[in-house]
């Protein structure tokens, strides 16, 4: 794998013929160190060889590289090759699911399961590159890994929710949301009921597109409507704050004129402005967090929503990028080792053996760093914290539990 270069490489091939449809890398665009065709052929060949013997090859590891294969509908094969520190099978497998969801979102399932013209499909898939590349890079979001919708808590949530619901009703759609930097700050009940992966993909798509005052974008819903397109309408209310509507043939974009927007949203101008800093911060200004907290990830596993921020104590080490990486890697460890999703048999036994389920875990990084990572789970909520080296190990669970209780009213 030495020729592959550092980072993450993504290969997409037609399963039946092995013809590459695209190759992307974490540098953005086709890799400057493009994977040699011999490597692409070998990675696909060993997977096909196993299939012919009824052996499913899911993943493989070398000293410095992790490889994950995933086939979709016996038509598309996706391969992830990562030499990044902390790369795991779970994170790469979930990334491949998001990538295939992005492909369906843009071109529809029919084009991917019934490939009539490979060259035409290659051209159509180019429209998904921007979204796909955002999964390979260092994003401020985490929904691609947690499979929960990245959210933020607005200062006047109930007022914003009421206005959004009224506006959606006036425009004839049940699916509307307000997004700031790819995070949902308010949404209608219909939007929250969207299935996975579109509930995560739609905000990511809007965040990956170049800024525009308005858009009328055709999308397929990988779970809800993979073969019939819908229209995603977006309107920029303030720079960085977008109103999104998911609808059918109506209303036409021209019907959403400035007068209509002004009538509904002008009275909320100040609350809308107060939402703009929520992009990286996520929590309302002045929310009391312990001074040892450097980053947090709160998940509501039933609502499939999450809050993720590395903004607290920005003047301290490590950098925001390092904090995000530490929390992502810790989430992967927690989700696979300490709080794995129970299988069908385990769910039946769960009620009788609550004592066997872990409630908390922590990790102290070293040598030299000393940062603490702690996770607690109470009911459907799971909280992960990154803490400074000064935080005493014996108090980690108490600090995490107190923080979770303070955050519970928000999510």
């Amino acid at each position: 794998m030495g020729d592959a270069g550092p980072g993450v490489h993504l290969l997409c091939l037609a399963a039946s013929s092995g013809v590459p449809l695209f190759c992307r890398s974490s540098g953005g665009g086709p890799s400057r160190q493009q994977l040699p065709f011999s490597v692409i052929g070998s990675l696909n060949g060993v997977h096909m060889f196993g299939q012919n013997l009824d052996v499913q090859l899911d993943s493989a590891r070398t000293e410095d590289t992790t490889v994950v294969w995933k086939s979709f509908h016996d038509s598309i094969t996706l391969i992830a090759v990562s030499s990044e520190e902390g790369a795991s099978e779970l994170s790469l497998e979930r990334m491949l699911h998001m990538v295939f969801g992005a492909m369906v979102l843009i071109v529809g399932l029919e084009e991917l399961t019934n490939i009539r013209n490979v060259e035409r499909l290659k051209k159509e898939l180019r429209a998904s590159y921007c979204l796909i590349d955002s999964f390979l890079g260092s994003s401020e979001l985490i929904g691609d890994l947690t499979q929960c919708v990245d959210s933020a808590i607005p200062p006047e949530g109930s007022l914003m929710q009421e206005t959004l619901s009224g506006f959606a009703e006036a425009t004839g759609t049940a699916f509307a949301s307000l997004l700031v930097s790819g995070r949902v700050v308010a949404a209608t009940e219909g939007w929250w009921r969207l299935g996975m992966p579109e509930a995560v993909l739609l905000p990511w798509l809007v965040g990956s597109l170049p800024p525009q005052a308005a858009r009328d974008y055709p999308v397929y819903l990988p779970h809800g409507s993979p073969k019939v397109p819908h229209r995603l309408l977006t309107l920029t209310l303030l720079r960085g704050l977008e109103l999104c509507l998911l609808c059918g043939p109506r209303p036409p974009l021209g019907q959403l004129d400035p007068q209509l927007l002004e009538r509904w949203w002008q009275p909320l101008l100040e609350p809308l402005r107060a939402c703009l800093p929520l992009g990286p911060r996520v929590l309302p200004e002045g929310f009391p967090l312990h001074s040892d907290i450097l980053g947090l990830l709160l998940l509501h596993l039933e609502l499939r929503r999450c809050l993720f921020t590395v903004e607290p104590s920005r003047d301290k080490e490590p950098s925001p990028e390092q904090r995000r990486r530490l929390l992502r890697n810790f989430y992967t460890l927690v989700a696979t080792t300490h709080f794995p999703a129970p299988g069908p048999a385990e769910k039946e036994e769960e009620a009788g053996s609550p004592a066997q389920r872990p409630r908390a875990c922590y990790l102290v990084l070293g040598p030299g760093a000393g940062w603490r990572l702690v996770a607690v789970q109470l009911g459907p909520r799971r909280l992960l914290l990154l803490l400074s080296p000064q935080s005493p190990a014996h108090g980690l669970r108490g600090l995490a539990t107190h923080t979770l209780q303070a955050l519970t009213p928000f999510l």
Side-chain angles (χ1 to χ4, degrees), residues 195-273:
M196 290 294 162
E198 50 259 37
V200 171
L201 283 169
L202 289 171
W204 274 71
L205 172 64
V206 175
S208 71
L209 295 172
Q212 278 184 279
R215 302 185 193 90
D216 190 339
Y217 205 89
V219 293
Y220 296 83
L221 304 182
H223 174 77
S225 181
K227 296 186 178 181
V228 179
H230 285 62
R231 295 164 61 229
L232 178 64
L233 306 183
T234 70
L235 299 151
T236 299
L237 299 181
L238 294 170
R239 187 178 178 86
L241 181 67
E242 297 194 73
L243 172 64
C244 301
L245 305 172
L246 190 65
C247 54
R250 300 187 62 81
L253 186 59
Q255 185 178 316
L256 306 177
D257 54 55
Q259 289 78 17
L260 179 67
L261 291 174
E262 191 172 314
R263 188 168 76 247
W264 281 95
W265 297 104
Q266 183 68 31
L268 270 71
L269 187 56
E270 287 311 311
L272 290 173
R273 282 182 177 147

